[in-house]
Amino acid sequence: MANEDEDVDVDTDVLVYKSARILIPEIQKLLPRVLWKDPSASQVRSWSRVDLVARVCASLERFLESPQLLDRHLATWVSALTNAFISYLNHRTNSYSRSCPAGYVPLPNAASKILCQLCNVRGVKVVLQLFPNEPKYLDLVLRNLVQWDAQGSTDQSSDTHTVSWEEKYIMLYWLSHLLYAPFDLTSVSSFSVTNNPLYGEYVPRDLPPVARTLIQTSLTSIFSPSKERDAASALLVRLSARPDMQQYELLRTNFDFMSLVVRSSGSDIVEEVHRRLGALIVLAGLLKNAPDGSFTPLLKPTFELLGWLYDKFFVSSEQSLDALTRILFVKCIRVGLVRSLALGDNLSEDLLSSITDFSINTFISLVEDKDTRVRIASSKALSLAARKFRDLEGGNEESLVDLVISNIEPEIEFVDPASASTIGRAEVSKQQKYDLSLVHRRFELSHALKWHGSLLCLAQFILHRSVPILHLPRLVSSLISGLDFHQESVSGKSIAVQVRDAACFGLWALARKYTTEELQSLLYNGKTQPTNEVGDSVQNFIQLLARTLITAACVDPHGNIRRGTSAALQELIGRHPDTVTKGLDVVQLVDYSTVANRRRAIITLASNVSMLDAEYQSVASSALLGWRGVGASDAASRRTTAEALRLLGAQMTTRGLNDLMQFTLNSLSRSSPRSSYDKRHGLLMALASLVEVIFSSKSLQSEATVTPQVTVGDETQGSESLEDHSRATDSTRNQILQLTKHTKFGSPYVGDRPARPGVNQSLHFEAFCHLIESMCSAVRTIVIPIDKNSSYPSPLLESLTECLSSNDPAVATVASRAAKELLLTLTDEGKEQAIVSIKTSFKRSKISQTYLMSLASMYTTSNSNFQISNNNSERFHDWILHTLVAATTSDHDIDLRCSALEAIANVVTVAGEEEKRFYSIWSNDGPLTAALMDYTVDHRGDVGSKVRISGLHLFRSILLKRDTLFPGRAAQLHEKDLSVAFPILLKLAVERLDKVRQEAWNVLCLYWPYISQAIPKPSNEVDISSTSYFGNLLSLSACSSTYLHPILEGFVTAASGSSQILICNSRLAIAKYLTLSSSAVLQDITDALNSLLLKHGADRINDRYFPPTLHILAFLLDQGLLSPPSSTDNHTFHTLCQTVKLTISNTKISVRLEAAVRCYEALMLYEPSRASAQAELVRLLGHPQTAVRRSAAEALWLRLEEGNARNAVESMDWGLRDVNAAKKIRDMCKKN
């Protein structure tokens, strides 16, 4: 499961509010341009620009999260759009069918798109209320819709506009709105079309013509797969429910026809789905809007049809309905049930009973549907049924609540956190010692979808107050269980977030819908201490809810749950004041911004809330030791939990810490040897934190110190006495000494070592090393001496040695600290034995990164004169340095070499006056020089850059400690630096990779005062990719002739790098530098580039320097920076041309050849080298590689003068190799 640890400090609502000041005026400005030809809005457009319509729709879409911001302008905009629409229908409807200009659409299409977007943002019902409702518009809208639709079906030409679904959607909804007219339809319109063949004999013969037309129009769209289906259904339902249509029995006619459509089947499955979907929408609307007199005859056939659907598609597994059809199926049942219950005595008892049983059983079965929308619809249906039962005398809403709760209660398995034994619900209810907010629950065998649907039902029951007060404790108990629901898939992804989300919704509704007196009347027996001892205190129900919500808000892994519980907690405390302990302080801490980031919620929030009261302290510690904390699925959250426990433990008494540590040890010992490595990693990290905080200086304070008193309500919790503090401390000390005997692989606490190397092994080693470090630190703090006859430190040393075989950087960091702490607990003799044991164990195995970092940490823990080898010739410190230096050679992999260099840097940081040992590192052939010049490349790229960066870290460490390491010889070494190491440093400071340049610049800052007083030192915060940065380093070439070559060697890689900004800035820097330089400097740079070509051109394998040098040379020549192109007495360019020719001879590497072509092209600008460069380009026209031929042809075409040769180069296809063509071009060039 991915950890949701993102910050949401930037609120999207705030951004929408700020942007509304720009978007709303923009919409007001664009709308007249879309609708009207002139500003006075007197002449409507025939065509509207597509781009303007798109801009308006895009601006409206920004308000999806805050649609209320449009309310002030909604009426004005809808009025303008509908007025333009009507004006078009009256005056310009003839232009609709004409061919549409490119980039334009008819005005009805543009207005409909904008209105659809408004409906999408603000809702159809809100927008539709603002439409004109004069009856005169019914005939106008209907007539044009029918005509446009008919024209689109008959004229299929591509240049003719056809009516879109947006236009049908708006016009059909408009027609349904106009049917509210209180006049007889025959007096409104007489427009008529032929019958729809789909309707057949079902249409009444004496139906008014306008009604026939409306039915015809709606049936053409009612089975469509687009949104126009909803508008057509609303139109047909509204027409059927009109009082003047009752005499024609249009409602029953439409009902029978749609029932036939539902039962029918076709060969096309997709078409059948949409037909059934449209028919169910109409049926649900007819059942909802039918008068009571018309509804009663429809009741029995309705449930017969629904029963047929249930038997065919739900009982039988051969066929199934799509999710949207299942939602409409639930809606039809819900409407039928609610209206049946409302009729009451008007229905027979048997019919009402069968309808009720069928409906409730269907809803219960669909609350565990695989689709979330179906579960939500079923839960709402059950809630409405319960509310209806509540309104009836003798209603059975209690049985409905019991039915939903009993659907999930058997799946809850309670676990005693003290003994890890399973306890039954009956036992939990009987015994006072079990606090439901602290008792652990298991949901491994639970059905997550069933839980989600059932909790949604319970939440809806609470939201509509459909639950009697006496049933609330059982219902809230299920919600609390749901807030603790946790399941993971095989891949580790959480599949129960929606269950906890439904529980949040239910608890939020509970805080809103029930009064303080009602909730305070519900009591439970519980306790406040985390030890689960028998307690007789009685707490109020609201406090229980607050504790539960605080737990989820602090440590839940998902941000939506933390925000949801925070909102529910604010509702609870705000609507029920003075009922929650330190309620106002809790609300201020558990706010939206704090819980948004998980790390901040776990560390800061849990610690701050626990400081308010001892009760919250127990809740926080219990949560951190649960599945959300130490049992989290991601390692980062488990590390954060350990850090939070360290902060939380600093506030607790010694006895409380001892209890937490004992609970952790019991959890470790109860875990099976093959239990989850993730959970064991979290428990070991937690145990290490607890051990560390127990034996910190604050916890082991003098016995004269007592802990402060904590007030809960009106009672004071007794402070820890001196005797209790001393007894608890001694018990913990003895517990730590016993734990050291069992801290090894295979013990009940640590468990078995992972079978295979990988993530699990690294996490296990990391946690184990943390524990060893904490225990060794505790042993050093313990006053009671360790018995000489005890096994200490053999178990720790044996397990630590095994952890040293890891190559994980995280393990290396903590293992090095653990090794140092372990040696510090031993006597000199014990240290020598431990070191010899570690060395002996690694003689037979491959060294690792962790091993090297641990050696560096052990450097200062033992006497430097300790003899470690059998012949008594090798000292301890000498052996460590020799081992580290040997690991820096190229025989080892890159990561190991980096770790060795970092380890040497750590040793240098703590070393004293040890000149002889460190002089070999500083020497010309030492590991430092080799690391700075490492350019290893493999399939991952320039992996040698890691070694160079580590070498620069070592370089910096030596410079900072140079006076200590080499007393009396600092001046001599400084001169040596400038002659050997400093040129390499300059090269790294201007190379291509940003990270290397940054580290090299950090080291270079230490040198700058000794370089030149004439050049001011730039700021340490300089941008290493800026023009000024490269300009300053190029200026150093004037200080010494030895600096120019390395600076250019590194510079060419940066000036031909992958980053466009880097290329531009570096080339601009050298252009500015050369522009201000003398002719002698230009000659020096030209000679240096020439020598670089000769040096790297001989290397046929490595292309790191040669192609970039050619590119930079071509750039400088092309820009005339080395010498003006008009110069004729400079023979340097002829030398450059011959050097390029020499270095690319006999090469087949296309990168080099294409760079040489670019260089030849620039050299043709200079008279001394023009003939030679042109001859080489002509020769390359016959090269076997297509890319080389094309590059050479392009270069010739650019540099040749107008004539036959240039025209011939342009006319030939150089994608095909033609030797004769190349000879022809050569002859033409000779003639010229």
Side-chain angles (χ1 to χ4, degrees), residues 416-590:
D416 187 353
S419 61
S421 59
T422 303
I423 52 180
R425 176 174 288 274
E427 187 177 357
V428 172
S429 303
K430 290 179 182 179
Q431 300 192 29
Q432 294 181 348
K433 69 176 182 178
Y434 296 118
D435 181 357
L436 285 181
S437 64
L438 297 178
V439 170
H440 295 175
R441 301 166 178 84
R442 289 178 182 169
F443 301 98
E444 285 84 356
L445 302 179
S446 300
H447 194 318
L449 300 182
K450 181 192 294 186
W451 268 83
H452 178 238
S454 300
L455 291 185
L456 281 176
C457 292
L458 299 181
Q460 293 286 347
F461 290 163
I462 294 175
L463 186 65
H464 298 295
R465 288 186 61 94
S466 304
V467 183
I469 299 297
L470 296 178
H471 283 69
L472 273 182
R474 188 181 175 195
L475 188 148
V476 176
S477 176
S478 298
L479 292 175
I480 292 176
S481 299
L483 199 58
D484 196 40
F485 194 94
H486 175 61
Q487 277 187 356
E488 290 183 356
S489 62
V490 179
S491 61
K493 183 179 180 181
S494 177
I495 57 176
V497 181
Q498 54 189 356
V499 178
R500 301 199 298 276
D501 186 64
C504 286
F505 173 48
L507 295 176
W508 173 84
L510 181 70
R512 289 179 63 91
K513 294 299 180 179
Y514 289 85
T515 64
T516 304
E517 292 74 15
E518 290 172 335
L519 294 181
Q520 281 183 329
S521 65
L522 307 172
L523 302 178
Y524 84 104
N525 293 327
K527 42 175 280 336
T528 61
Q529 299 300 323
T531 54
N532 290 292
E533 298 173 354
V534 177
D536 297 324
S537 61
V538 178
Q539 300 180 354
N540 65 75
F541 202 79
I542 300 178
Q543 185 67 25
L544 167 65
L545 297 178
R547 293 171 55 179
T548 305
L549 293 172
I550 289 173
T551 300
C554 289
V555 296
D556 197 275
H558 281 266
N560 286 339
I561 307 302
R562 296 194 300 273
R563 299 184 193 103
T565 50
S566 173
L569 185 64
Q570 292 182 14
E571 288 286 342
L572 183 70
I573 296 175
R575 293 180 181 270
H576 310 283
D578 302 326
T579 56
V580 177
T581 304
K582 302 292 184 64
L584 293 179
D585 295 332
V586 171
V587 168
Q588 293 175 357
L589 290 175
V590 190

Side-chain angles (χ1 to χ4, degrees), residues 703-969:
E703 292 189 358
T705 305
V706 294
T707 56
Q709 295 182 345
V710 179
T711 304
V712 181
D714 297 331
E715 299 182 3
T716 301
Q717 308 295 320
S719 61
E720 187 179 30
S721 65
L722 298 177
E723 183 179 356
D724 291 340
H725 174 78
S726 178
R727 188 184 304 112
T729 302
D730 291 340
S731 173
T732 307
R733 287 171 174 169
N734 296 329
Q735 195 174 40
I736 291 295
L737 292 178
Q738 292 297 322
L739 181 60
T740 59
K741 301 178 182 180
H742 300 285
T743 306
K744 61 182 180 180
F745 288 110
S747 67
Y749 295 148
V750 179
D752 296 338
R753 64 180 59 83
R756 298 179 180 177
V759 177
N760 288 336
Q761 188 183 71
S762 298
L763 293 176
H764 209 63
F765 285 164
E766 176 196 5
F768 197 25
C769 291
H770 271 293
L771 181 59
I772 292 175
E773 178 189 7
S774 299
M775 287 194 301
C776 292
S777 178
V779 169
R780 286 201 297 134
T781 311
I782 294 176
V783 180
I784 303 174
I786 299 174
D787 187 3
K788 295 183 179 181
N789 298 325
S790 66
S791 60
Y792 184 86
S794 297
L796 298 181
L797 183 60
E798 177 185 351
S799 300
L800 178 60
T801 303
E802 190 161 353
C803 293
L804 296 183
S805 62
S806 174
N807 276 307
D808 188 273
V811 179
T813 302
V814 65
S816 61
R817 300 198 306 263
K820 181 177 180 180
E821 288 290 339
L822 178 60
L823 291 185
L824 290 175
T825 62
L826 304 177
T827 61
D828 292 340
E829 181 182 358
K831 292 177 183 177
E832 296 173 2
Q833 294 176 357
I835 293 171
V836 171
S837 175
I838 293 175
K839 179 184 178 183
T840 304
S841 65
F842 274 89
K843 274 186 177 181
R844 301 182 297 270
S845 61
K846 186 179 179 181
I847 62 175
S848 64
Q849 300 179 46
T850 305
Y851 175 64
L852 296 176
M853 298 299 291
S854 300
L855 290 182
S857 67
M858 293 188 294
Y859 188 83
T860 58
T861 58
S862 182
N863 184 6
S864 62
N865 294 321
F866 160 52
Q867 296 174 345
I868 194 169
S869 60
N870 295 331
N871 57 10
N872 296 332
S873 61
E874 190 175 18
R875 305 290 180 178
F876 173 55
H877 288 183
D878 293 332
W879 167 70
I880 288 181
L881 274 181
H882 175 74
T883 304
L884 296 178
V885 171
T888 62
T889 61
S890 58
D891 299 336
H892 301 282
D893 61 81
I894 293 295
D895 294 331
L896 188 67
R897 294 168 62 189
C898 294
S899 298
L901 291 167
E902 296 289 351
I904 296 175
N906 293 340
V907 170
V908 169
T909 304
V910 299
E913 297 182 4
E914 305 179 53
E915 175 184 347
K916 295 182 180 180
R917 292 193 177 97
F918 290 96
Y919 189 78
S920 61
I921 299 174
W922 190 256
S923 61
N924 293 346
D925 56 349
L928 176 60
T929 305
L932 296 179
M933 300 178 65
D934 190 293
Y935 291 96
T936 305
V937 178
D938 62 6
H939 65 280
R940 295 173 292 177
D942 184 9
V943 294
S945 62
K946 297 182 179 180
V947 181
R948 298 198 297 276
I949 291 174
S950 298
L952 289 169
H953 291 166
L954 175 57
F955 200 168
R956 180 179 176 83
S957 300
I958 293 177
L959 289 178
L960 293 173
K961 294 279 293 187
R962 182 172 53 185
D963 295 334
T964 304
L965 294 176
F966 313 109
R969 299 186 59 187

Side-chain angles (χ1 to χ4, degrees), residues 218-236:
S218 61
L219 288 179
T220 56
S221 301
I222 209 165
F223 304 123
S224 171
S226 63
K227 291 178 66 175
E228 62 186 89
R229 173 181 56 211
D230 300 332
S233 302
L235 174 61
L236 186 60

Side-chain angles (χ1 to χ4, degrees), residues 40-111:
S40 61
S42 60
Q43 190 174 6
V44 70
R45 289 184 179 273
S46 299
W47 313 97
S48 298
R49 287 172 51 183
V50 175
D51 58 335
L52 296 181
V53 177
R55 286 174 58 185
V56 174
C57 293
S59 299
L60 291 173
E61 190 176 6
R62 298 282 298 275
F63 293 93
L64 279 172
E65 298 296 331
S66 301
Q68 70 279 0
L69 297 177
L70 301 179
D71 287 350
R72 288 181 55 192
H73 313 279
L74 196 61
T76 304
W77 294 347
V78 173
S79 177
L81 289 165
T82 52
N83 288 339
F85 204 119
I86 293 172
S87 179
Y88 182 91
L89 296 180
N90 285 322
H91 305 292
R92 295 187 177 272
T93 186
N94 294 330
S95 63
Y96 186 87
S97 59
R98 291 185 304 196
S99 58
C100 184
Y104 287 82
V105 291
L107 183 132
N109 183 274

Side-chain angles (χ1 to χ4, degrees), residues 1044-1116:
L1044 179 59
H1045 190 280
I1047 288 177
L1048 286 179
E1049 191 172 22
F1051 181 85
V1052 294
T1053 62
S1056 301
S1058 58
S1059 172
Q1060 191 65 29
I1061 295 178
L1062 180 63
I1063 294 174
C1064 294
N1065 290 343
S1066 59
R1067 294 192 178 191
L1068 180 60
I1070 195 172
K1072 289 182 177 180
Y1073 175 71
L1074 294 179
T1075 302
L1076 301 175
S1077 300
S1078 62
S1079 58
V1081 174
L1082 297 179
Q1083 186 62 42
D1084 290 339
I1085 290 179
T1086 304
D1087 295 340
L1089 291 173
N1090 189 65
S1091 62
L1092 284 178
L1093 292 177
L1094 293 172
K1095 175 183 176 181
H1096 298 293
D1099 187 357
R1100 303 292 183 178
I1101 300 176
N1102 187 5
D1103 284 335
R1104 180 178 181 84
Y1105 294 106
F1106 184 71
T1109 305
L1110 287 174
H1111 282 295
I1112 295 307
L1113 179 59
F1115 167 74
L1116 297 178

Side-chain angles (χ1 to χ4, degrees), residues 264-450:
S264 63
S265 60
S267 57
D268 190 343
I269 298 178
V270 176
E271 181 181 354
E272 181 183 349
V273 168
H274 291 296
R275 286 173 58 83
R276 185 180 293 117
L277 197 58
L280 286 175
I281 294 176
V282 175
L283 286 176
L286 293 175
L287 293 174
K288 182 179 179 180
N289 294 278
D292 291 343
S294 301
F295 172 76
T296 304
L298 301 179
L299 194 56
K300 186 175 181 179
T302 296
F303 279 91
E304 288 178 354
L305 175 64
L306 296 174
W308 174 83
L309 281 174
Y310 186 81
D311 294 338
K312 182 177 182 180
F313 295 102
F314 292 92
V315 177
S316 174
S317 59
E318 297 179 358
Q319 303 181 41
S320 61
L321 296 174
D322 62 285
L324 192 54
T325 306
R326 295 200 301 275
I327 293 174
L328 291 171
F329 174 74
V330 171
K331 182 179 180 180
C332 291
I333 299 178
R334 184 196 71 200
V335 173
L337 174 63
V338 172
R339 295 205 61 179
S340 299
L341 294 175
L343 292 175
D345 298 336
N346 296 330
L347 299 178
S348 64
E349 185 176 350
D350 294 340
L351 178 60
L352 185 60
S353 176
S354 62
I355 291 175
T356 303
D357 293 342
F358 171 76
S359 302
I360 299 301
N361 291 334
T362 303
F363 295 154
I364 291 294
S365 64
L366 290 179
V367 294
E368 55 185 278
D369 190 88
K370 61 182 179 180
D371 192 274
T372 302
R373 297 171 297 173
V374 180
R375 295 195 298 274
I376 293 175
S378 302
S379 64
K380 289 183 177 180
L382 279 170
S383 173
L384 291 175
R387 184 169 59 177
K388 207 66 181 178
F389 288 148
R390 181 199 61 190
D391 297 338
L392 298 175
E393 279 190 35
N396 54 352
E397 70 273 15
E398 297 90 345
S399 61
L400 188 56
V401 174
D402 292 339
L403 185 62
V404 175
I405 295 178
S406 61
N407 197 32
I408 57 175
E409 259 189 355
E411 297 184 352
I412 304 178
E413 184 180 3
F414 290 94
V415 179
D416 187 353
S419 61
S421 59
T422 303
I423 52 180
R425 176 174 288 274
E427 187 177 357
V428 172
S429 303
K430 290 179 182 179
Q431 300 192 29
Q432 294 181 348
K433 69 176 182 178
Y434 296 118
D435 181 357
L436 285 181
S437 64
L438 297 178
V439 170
H440 295 175
R441 301 166 178 84
R442 289 178 182 169
F443 301 98
E444 285 84 356
L445 302 179
S446 300
H447 194 318
L449 300 182
K450 181 192 294 186

